[in-house]
């Protein structure tokens, strides 16, 4: 594999793994203390 | 009377369900072939640009529009588009595309998904390891599909049995609803799928260079075949279109599926971070797992001369002919073969249940049916309509369904959604709606991208298609003479389905109107 190949693979993997970690850490921390109760909060009905 | 509206149980539940919808066979089979054929690492430049300019904006548009429509009790595109443009009574008919498109894909996707289940079974029972040549695997797949009547199996019977099992599994999951069926399956299947994928990646990479006669045929050079950049490819419009097409294909945007899933959120549930998380999960499965299995493995065992032909041999050939040959050469290859095909099966089923849900949701919401009745009607209709793809696969029926469902209608649907939300509903209102309950502040540049760049990009893709391909597609250019009646029959069937769906939408809204009039006269 060329140096260019290594740069592209590391950059692509790095961006995706960073984004994935950021999203899941925030979502899991929210889910842990705030499970939805299944009740609905609807918008006002408009004809 | 309709049941109480269904809801997701947890935030992670809907993220995994949307990610499950997006992660499909294409992540593991289509992406590596596309990247290898279109500039290697350089392909990732238009790929990531398309992700930012088309993929992520459309994810947010669909999540926002879906949650908004769900607030008015609508979970399928006709109703959701109607609440986005209340003054236009015709817009709900364009929303038919959001039910028709996914249903059309369902008509052949479940069958392909059943091949994965069958091959997982054949792998673990050792039946694939009896085959020794490349042509043997080609013949095995042909016979399984019923294309060739001589050989190991008789006709399509085993194929049909696995289709039945897969179909019943799908219907059962949908029957148990959003929380009890879809969310439950996806919270188990998605982590398992990623685990199986990770095991396969580690296995392929740690093969290094197993053949002492060919020390260059290594896993690292295999990765290099996929990732070494060829910047000259960036001058080609074809490469940019391939990247945009791959983003569309992979994220499940434009189908109406995300609209439906997001409609089961509550008004204050987050859509910005959840949408991004689902997209990131899909990219992980595609770029990191999908890019590290098929091409490096094929490079190790077939070498640099054959790899180009293999990469361009198409999705089915890569998955069902090349990969079994590779597992055949590995110690405990039967187990790795099982992991590979069962991973594909899980990717398939988490996608197929999502493309079934818009039709079921339409019957539930617009006809006030109980979920069980809506699922029964869907099951009967879809079972009948799945048959052409199974019995006439060799007549080009599956390819034609795939073109209309997975290419044309998703681009059309996405263009419609984004123009409606950004221009008719209003970008300021949409931006506020996106941030209602959001756990992420979306950079303001995306307001500009969603309003101007993404619609322009989509209209350019549609325009390019109409300028170059549409006449050839309509006149069935390239379809063999003996297949023309079958392809024509398929298209007539699709037109009939479109008309029927439009009639069903009309009847549903007439019922809504009658009910509202009755309520007014009572009060």
């Amino acid at each position: 594999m060329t140096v260019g190949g290594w740069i592209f693979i590391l950059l692509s993997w790095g961006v995706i793994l960073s984004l994935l970690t950021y999203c899941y850490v925030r979502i899991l921390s929210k889910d842990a203390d705030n499970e939805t109760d299944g009740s609905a909060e609807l918008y006002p009905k408009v004809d | 009377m309709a049941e109480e509206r269904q809801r997701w149980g947890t935030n992670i539940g809907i993220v995994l369900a949307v990610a499950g919808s997006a992660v499909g066979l294409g992540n593991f089979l289509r992406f590596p072939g596309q990247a290898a054929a279109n500039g290697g690492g350089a392909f990732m430049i238009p790929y990531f640009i398309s992700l930012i300019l088309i993929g992520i904006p459309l994810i947010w548009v669909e999540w926002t529009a879906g949650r908004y429509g769900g607030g008015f009790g609508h979970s399928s595109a006709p109703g959701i588009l109607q609440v986005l443009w209340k003054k236009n009574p015709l817009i709900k008919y364009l929303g038919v595309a959001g039910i028709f498109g996914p249903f059309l894909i369902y008509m052949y996707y479940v069958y392909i998904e059943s091949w994965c289940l069958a091959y997982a079974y054949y792998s673990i029972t050792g039946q694939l390891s009896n085959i020794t040549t490349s042509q043997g695997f080609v013949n095995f797949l042909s016979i399984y599909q019923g294309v060739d009547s001589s050989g190991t199996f008789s006709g399509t019977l085993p194929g049909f049995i696995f289709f039945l099992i897969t179909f019943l599994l799908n219907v059962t999951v949908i029957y148990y609803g959003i929380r009890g069926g879809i969310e439950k399956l996806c919270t188990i299947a998605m982590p398992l799928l990623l685990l199986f994928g990770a095991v396969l990646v580690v296995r392929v990479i740690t093969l290094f260079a197993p053949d002492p006669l060919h020390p260059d045929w290594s896993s690292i050079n295999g990765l290099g075949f996929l990732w070494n950049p060829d910047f000259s490819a960036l001058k080609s419009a074809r490469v940019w279109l391939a990247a945009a097409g791959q983003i569309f294909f992979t994220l499940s945007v434009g189908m109406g599926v995300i609209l439906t899933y997001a409609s089961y959120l509550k008004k204050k549930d987050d859509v910005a971070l959840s949408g991004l998380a689902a997209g990131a999960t899909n990219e992980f499965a595609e770029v990191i797992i999908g890019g590290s299995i098929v091409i490096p493995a094929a490079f190790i065992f077939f070498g640099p001369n054959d790899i180009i032909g293999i990469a361009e041999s198409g999705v089915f050939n890569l998955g069902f002919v090349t990969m079994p040959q590779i597992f055949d050469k590995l110690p405990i290859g039967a187990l790795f073969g099982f992991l590979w095909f069962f991973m594909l099966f899980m990717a398939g089923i988490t996608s197929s249940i999502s493309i079934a849900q818009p039709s079921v949701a339409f019957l539930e919401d617009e006809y006030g049916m109980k979920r069980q009745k809506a699922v029964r009607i869907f099951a009967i209709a879809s079972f009948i309509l799945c048959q052409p793809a199974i019995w006439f696969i060799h007549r080009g029926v599956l390819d034609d369904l795939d073109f209309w469902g997975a290419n044309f209608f998703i681009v059309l649907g996405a263009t419609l959604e984004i123009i409606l939300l950004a221009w008719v509903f209003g970008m300021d209102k949409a931006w506020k709606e996106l941030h209602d309950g959001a756990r992420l502040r979306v950079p303001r540049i995306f307001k500009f991208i969603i309003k101007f760049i993404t619609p322009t990009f989509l209209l350019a893709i549609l325009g390019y298609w109409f300028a170059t391909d549409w006449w050839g597609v309509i006149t069935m250019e390239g379809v063999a003479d003996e297949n023309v009646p079958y392809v024509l029959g398929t298209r007539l069937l699709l037109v009939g389905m479109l008309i029927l769906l439009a009639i069903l939408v009309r009847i549903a809204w007439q019922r809504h109107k009658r009910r509202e009039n009755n309520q007014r006269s009572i009060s």
Side-chain angles (χ1 to χ4, degrees):
Chain A
M1 186 146 74
T2 63
V3 175
W6 280 114
I7 290 171
F8 271 100
I9 198 170
L10 290 174
L11 270 176
S12 302
W13 285 32
V15 168
I16 291 168
L17 286 173
S18 307
L19 189 63
L20 194 75
T21 310
Y22 167 79
C23 290
Y24 276 91
V25 165
R26 291 199 59 179
I27 283 175
L28 289 171
S29 66
K30 181 197 172 193
D31 259 12
D33 48 52
N34 187 28
E35 280 221 346
T36 58
D37 58 6
S39 66
E41 186 180 353
L42 295 179
Y43 288 76
K45 180 78 180 167
V46 177
D47 291 330
Chain B
M1 190 64 196
E3 289 174 319
E4 192 185 331
R5 192 161 180 74
Q6 299 184 75
R7 296 284 161 190
W8 296 100
T10 59
N11 202 212
I12 193 80
I14 184 183
V15 169
L16 290 176
V18 174
S21 169
V23 175
L25 272 60
N27 290 61
F28 307 104
L29 298 171
R30 192 174 188 271
F31 167 76
Q34 286 284 313
N38 290 296
F43 179 76
M44 298 314 288
I45 294 173
Y47 181 86
F48 276 119
I49 290 174
S50 299
L51 179 68
I52 292 167
L53 297 184
I54 301 180
I56 292 174
L58 279 172
I59 285 174
W60 281 326
V61 162
E62 289 208 16
W63 278 73
T64 305
R67 187 187 60 176
Y68 184 77
F72 293 93
H74 296 289
S75 289
S76 56
I80 293 172
L81 297 196
Q82 191 63 75
V83 296
L84 288 177
W85 196 357
K86 295 190 184 83
K87 287 179 183 165
N88 187 336
L90 297 178
I91 198 67
K92 57 182 172 285
Y93 295 106
L94 285 180
V96 162
I99 303 172
F100 177 73
F103 191 93
L104 207 163
I105 298 172
Y106 192 87
M107 284 166 61
Y108 63 87
Y109 197 86
V110 175
Y111 180 47
I112 297 170
E113 186 185 316
S114 72
W115 301 358
C116 304
L117 184 64
Y119 269 61
Y121 169 78
Y122 293 139
S123 294
I124 204 71
T125 54
Q127 292 188 57
L128 287 180
S129 48
N130 295 332
I131 306 166
T132 50
T133 62
S134 173
Q135 192 54 44
F137 282 101
V138 173
N139 292 344
F140 188 91
L141 180 61
S142 298
I143 294 161
Y144 176 80
Q145 292 168 346
V147 176
D148 189 342
S149 58
S150 63
T152 319
F153 291 119
S154 54
T156 55
L157 186 63
F160 198 75
I161 291 169
F162 279 105
F163 164 74
L164 270 181
I165 296 168
T166 308
F167 185 86
L168 288 173
L169 281 171
N170 272 276
V171 170
T172 307
V173 173
I174 305 159
Y175 189 85
Y176 281 102
I178 291 292
R179 198 170 181 170
I182 295 173
E183 182 171 348
K184 208 168 256 181
L185 173 83
C186 290
T187 47
I188 297 167
M190 284 306 290
L192 207 57
L193 178 158
L194 297 175
L195 176 70
F196 282 15
V199 170
L200 287 164
V201 169
V202 171
R203 174 66 286 201
V204 169
I205 302 299
T206 55
L207 282 170
F208 301 114
D211 186 351
L213 294 174
H214 300 103
D216 289 347
W217 296 13
S218 67
S219 51
I220 300 301
N221 285 340
L223 281 174
F225 178 77
L226 187 68
W227 288 97
N228 290 342
D230 169 16
F231 291 106
S232 66
L234 296 179
K235 293 175 192 159
S236 163
R238 188 180 57 83
V239 171
W240 287 80
L241 273 172
Q246 180 59 29
I247 285 296
F248 246 114
F249 191 82
T250 189
L251 288 172
S252 280
V253 286
M255 281 185 201
V257 165
I258 300 177
L259 282 181
T260 297
Y261 272 7
S263 75
Y264 298 108
L265 287 168
K266 289 187 292 178
K267 189 184 172 189
K268 293 288 178 189
D269 279 343
D270 160 79
V271 293
L273 180 66
S274 305
L276 193 64
T281 311
N282 179 69
E283 291 312 303
F284 176 76
E286 175 153 297
V287 177
I288 297 181
I289 295 179
S292 308
I293 300 175
V294 177
I295 296 291
F299 189 93
I300 291 168
F301 290 102
F302 299 102
N305 293 331
D306 291 346
I307 188 75
I308 297 169
I310 289 170
E312 292 172 353
S313 64
V315 166
F316 295 154
N317 204 61
L318 270 177
F320 297 94
V321 176
T322 305
M323 289 307 284
Q325 287 180 73
I326 291 166
F327 296 127
D328 219 15
K329 297 174 199 287
L330 292 178
I332 56 167
L335 177 66
F336 289 111
F338 170 78
L339 290 182
W340 166 252
F341 286 112
F342 203 70
M343 178 186 76
L344 292 185
F345 174 70
M346 286 189 290
I349 194 166
T350 49
S351 299
S352 58
I353 52 171
S354 76
I355 51 182
Q357 187 59 28
S359 307
V360 173
F362 174 72
L363 295 175
E364 283 181 274
D365 296 336
E366 313 307 348
Y367 280 85
M369 282 184 198
K370 285 187 179 297
R371 186 175 66 245
Q372 289 77 359
K373 186 180 176 187
V375 173
R376 272 199 296 273
I377 291 173
F378 169 80
I380 293 167
S382 62
F383 182 79
I384 294 167
L385 290 166
C386 279
Q387 302 311 310
I390 300 172
W391 299 99
F392 304 123
I393 186 172
H394 56 302
R395 297 294 187 180
V397 170
L398 195 149
D399 291 339
D400 206 52
L401 289 173
D402 183 55
F403 169 77
W404 292 108
N407 291 285
F408 182 75
F409 272 97
I410 60 171
V411 182
L412 191 70
T415 312
L416 195 67
E417 283 165 10
I418 199 157
I419 290 175
L420 260 181
L421 193 81
W423 289 89
V424 178
F425 184 73
M427 197 56 227
D428 288 336
K429 231 169 124 185
W431 192 253
K432 194 172 164 290
E433 192 63 36
L434 168 64
H435 285 93
D436 213 358
R439 305 251 311 162
L440 173 81
R441 185 85 213 156
V442 176
R444 280 194 77 81
I445 183 76
F446 276 98
K447 198 173 174 181
F448 177 79
I449 292 173
I450 291 172
K451 187 162 185 180
F452 296 104
I453 308 287
T454 314
T456 308
F457 220 131
L458 292 172
L459 287 170
I461 292 173
L462 267 182
Y464 180 83
W465 182 78
F466 276 110
T468 56
D469 290 340
W470 81 278
W471 186 245
V473 171
I474 297 295
T475 55
M476 292 183 269
E477 226 171 62
V479 175
D481 287 346
E482 66 271 23
N483 293 345
V484 167
Y486 296 90
V487 174
L488 188 65
T490 305
R491 291 185 183 183
L492 289 174
L493 175 71
L494 299 185
V495 172
M497 283 168 59
L498 259 177
I499 294 170
L500 178 68
L501 277 170
I503 293 169
L504 287 175
V505 167
R506 184 175 168 76
I507 294 170
W509 259 261
Q510 283 173 341
R511 284 163 52 107
H512 292 336
K513 205 165 190 177
R514 269 203 302 276
R515 202 172 54 234
E516 282 166 17
N517 289 340
N518 287 344
Q519 280 170 351
R520 276 201 199 103
S521 61
I522 291 167
S523 59

